């Protein structure tokens, strides 16, 4: 996809600190980590949001979870716990429109969701 940051990373046009790569997925460190362990898990196939996942992609999404388990183990957070997050759309805070999961761990994590001031009544 033209002008997609993550597609450019997959293509090697933009460098990343890779953790894992195979023919379907790439896992790399987030450049603005929110936890001691913070990596992004992306399919190499461009899919903008979770809402755009089609039935032909369901098996790949299952495989993505296998990769998440493997990477969590390799990064040493399976025993203490980790969070796996997918943001979908503007209200969720999705900044890059290429489906991705954040895997966070390595410390006790705070509240899962906070409402921004723009959503206050």
């Amino acid at each position: 996809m033209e002008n997609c940051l993550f597609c450019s990373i997959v293509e090697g046009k933009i460098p990343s600190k890779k953790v894992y790569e195979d023919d379907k997925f790439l896992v790399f460190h987030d450049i603005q980590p929110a936890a001691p362990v913070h990596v992004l898990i992306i399919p190499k196939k461009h899919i903008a949001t979770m809402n755009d996942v089609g039935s032909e992609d369901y098996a790949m999404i299952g495989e993505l979870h296998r990769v998440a388990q493997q990477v969590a183990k390799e990064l040493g957070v399976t025993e203490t716990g980790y969070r796996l997050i997918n943001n979908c759309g503007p209200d969720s805070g999705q900044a890059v429109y290429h489906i991705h999961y954040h895997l966070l761990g390595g410390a006790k994590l705070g509240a899962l969701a906070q409402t921004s001031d723009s959503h206050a009544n």
Side-chain angles (χ1 to χ4, degrees):
M1 184 80 179
E2 192 174 321
N3 298 322
C4 173
L5 174 66
F6 289 171
C7 286
S8 293
I9 290 172
V10 167
E11 294 168 5
K13 295 177 182 175
I14 297 174
S16 66
K17 188 176 172 190
K18 295 178 185 177
V19 174
Y20 173 90
E21 183 173 18
D22 65 20
D23 60 325
K24 293 181 185 176
F25 302 100
L26 178 62
V27 181
F28 55 94
H29 287 275
D30 193 300
I31 61 170
Q32 296 179 315
V37 171
H38 187 169
V39 296
L40 300 175
I41 304 167
I42 67 169
K44 290 184 174 181
K45 176 182 178 181
H46 181 85
I47 302 170
T49 74
M50 183 58 78
N51 291 334
D52 300 305
V53 171
S55 58
E56 70 278 6
D57 301 312
Y58 293 157
M60 181 267 299
I61 294 297
E63 289 180 55
L64 187 146
H65 285 258
R66 177 196 51 79
V67 170
Q69 286 179 320
Q70 179 180 334
V71 168
K73 185 174 183 178
E74 290 172 6
L75 295 174
V77 295
T78 54
E79 293 301 317
T80 56
Y82 59 95
R83 187 172 290 162
L84 193 60
I85 301 170
N86 170 258
N87 297 316
C88 182
D91 278 357
S92 74
Q94 184 176 4
V96 178
Y97 281 78
H98 181 124
I99 192 172
H100 59 284
Y101 284 68
H102 297 259
L103 188 150
L104 299 103
K108 193 140 186 102
L109 301 174
L112 183 58
Q114 297 174 351
T115 305
S116 71
D117 292 338
S118 66
H119 290 86
N121 291 329

